[in-house]
Amino acid sequence: MLDIQQQIINYNKTARSIQPQYIVIHDTGDAGASAQNEHDYFSGGDRQASADFFVDTNNIIQIIDTDSYYSWHCGDGHGAYGISNANSLGIEMCIGTNGLPTEATISNTIDLVKCLMNKYNISIDNVVRHYDASRKSCPNSFMANDWQKWTEFKERLKQADTVLGWNKNDTGYWYCTDVANKYYYKDSWQCIESKWYSFDSDGYARHDCWIQDGGKYYYLNSDCRMAIGWIKYNDKYYYLNKDGSMATGWILDNGKSYLLYSDGSMAHDCQMYGYSFSSDGCASKL
C-alpha cells in the first residue's frame, strides 16, 4: 500500500462526535486532475465541500484529520438514506482525461478502503457509493452497464479482505500468518506483541470465556487477550496468576492477603480460619 500523505487543510470540516460507520466512494469528476491538484484546490479557501482522501495513480493524500473531524462530501443526501457526513468517510478517486480512474488508482483506493475498514471496524457492507448516500450519479465513472465497475470494485475488495495479522468478520477475530496461502493460527496458544491469545479449531480467537488447559483454568477477555490479575465474572472476583492460570487458596497481592475458594472465587464479607474478610476480600486476623 502507498503511504498516506497527510496534507491537512483548514476549511470545510466539522468536529466529529461519532466514529465513522461508512466509507463513501466518489470520483472527482475533474478529468485529468491529480490528487495533489485536488488538495491544492480545497486548501485554497472555503469551497463549501471537501473529502477526506484523494487517490490517484501514485498518491493517497489525506486532507482531513478523520479521527477528529468529518468532511463535507455527501451532505446532499441530508442523511435520508442513513449515510451522512457525520457518520462516514469520503474517498475521491481521481480520473484521467478519459473520465475514468486508472487501474492503479482503483487498486490504491481498495488498499486505502481496507486500511480504513480495519482502523474503524467498518464492514464491507458499509462501503458504499455516493449514490447510496444521496442518489447522485457518483462515482460516475462506475455507472455504466448497471454499475458493473462498482460490482467489480466490491468483489475485489472482498478478495482483498484478508490482511497479514489480525482480521475480523461477523464471527470474530482471527490472525493471518500468510495472506497468499491463507494460513492462520488455530487450535493453539499464541503470543502476539507480548500478549497471549487462545485460538479455537476454526481459527477464531476465544474471548469472554474460561478455558481449561493442562488441568488449569484461564480466562480470555473481551479483547481476546489472556487475563492476568483480578477479573470480575458473574459478580464474583477471581485472580489470574502471571502465567494466566486461575489461582486458588491464599494469595498475596500488593501486600494484602486474600483467600480464593477451590472454584477460584474470592472470599469476602465473612469470617473463617481465624480471619475476617472485608467486602473487597482483604483478610485481617481476628
Side-chain angles (χ1 to χ4, degrees):
M1 176 178 169
L2 295 175
D3 290 337
I4 298 174
Q5 305 169 44
Q6 291 194 337
Q7 300 182 30
I8 305 303
I9 68 172
N10 296 316
Y11 300 97
N12 306 135
K13 60 185 179 181
T14 303
R16 186 178 289 282
S17 60
I18 58 173
Q19 182 168 293
Q21 300 167 21
Y22 293 89
I23 299 172
V24 181
I25 307 300
H26 309 250
D27 66 30
T28 61
D30 190 5
S34 68
Q36 190 65 57
N37 294 150
E38 299 295 347
H39 164 272
D40 295 346
Y41 172 76
F42 283 99
S43 68
D46 180 5
R47 308 301 186 189
Q48 289 297 298
S50 57
D52 297 294
F53 301 88
F54 289 95
V55 184
D56 65 20
T57 298
N58 299 305
N59 303 279
I60 299 173
I61 297 179
Q62 179 177 0
I63 70 169
I64 302 293
D65 174 3
T66 52
D67 291 334
S68 302
Y69 297 92
Y70 60 82
S71 64
W72 302 354
H73 65 96
C74 66
D76 53 341
H78 307 289
Y81 302 97
I83 305 162
S84 65
N85 289 329
N87 69 5
S88 67
L89 302 166
I91 299 175
E92 291 272 6
M93 295 184 296
C94 296
I95 57 175
T97 54
N98 63 354
L100 300 173
T102 65
E103 170 57 31
T105 296
I106 295 172
S107 292
N108 293 338
T109 302
I110 288 171
D111 287 344
L112 175 60
V113 169
K114 181 57 187 173
C115 175
L116 295 172
M117 288 171 64
N118 286 336
K119 178 177 182 179
Y120 293 110
N121 195 26
I122 297 172
S123 75
I124 194 168
D125 292 336
N126 284 13
V127 178
V128 298
R129 305 161 292 185
H130 188 182
Y131 173 84
D132 298 305
S134 70
R135 296 303 182 261
K136 180 180 179 179
S137 300
C138 179
N140 184 264
S141 57
F142 280 9
M143 280 191 64
N145 300 318
D146 195 22
W147 293 98
Q148 180 180 344
K149 285 188 177 295
W150 176 250
T151 301
E152 293 171 356
F153 182 90
K154 289 295 289 280
E155 284 301 315
R156 289 176 61 179
L157 187 59
K158 288 178 183 178
Q159 293 171 10
D161 201 35
T162 300
V163 299
L164 190 66
W166 286 107
N167 292 264
K168 184 180 185 296
N169 58 26
D170 291 339
T171 302
Y173 288 92
W174 54 286
Y175 196 94
C176 179
T177 58
D178 184 331
V179 173
N181 295 297
K182 296 289 181 72
Y183 293 152
Y184 52 91
Y185 293 136
K186 62 179 179 179
D187 202 22
S188 63
W189 283 97
Q190 297 293 335
C191 185
I192 302 170
E193 296 182 354
S194 302
K195 303 296 182 182
W196 283 96
Y197 301 84
S198 174
F199 295 87
D200 65 22
S201 58
D202 292 321
Y204 291 103
R206 295 183 172 95
H207 62 91
D208 298 296
C209 66
W210 290 96
I211 62 169
Q212 186 178 16
D213 188 3
K216 298 180 179 180
Y217 288 91
Y218 301 83
Y219 188 77
L220 286 310
N221 288 318
S222 58
D223 62 4
C224 305
R225 296 176 180 179
M226 181 186 74
I228 295 174
W230 290 104
I231 65 166
K232 186 178 183 181
Y233 180 80
N234 286 348
D235 294 322
K236 295 181 180 181
Y237 287 92
Y238 299 81
Y239 187 85
L240 291 307
N241 295 311
K242 290 182 178 180
D243 66 355
S245 62
M246 184 188 73
T248 59
W250 285 98
I251 64 167
L252 187 67
D253 182 48
N254 289 326
K256 296 180 179 180
S257 296
Y258 301 85
L259 179 62
L260 307 174
Y261 294 119
S262 59
D263 68 354
S265 62
M266 180 190 73
H268 63 92
D269 297 296
C270 64
Q271 294 181 359
M272 59 180 147
Y273 308 131
Y275 288 86
S276 175
F277 298 90
S278 62
S279 60
D280 64 3
C282 184
S284 57
K285 201 166 184 61
L286 292 172

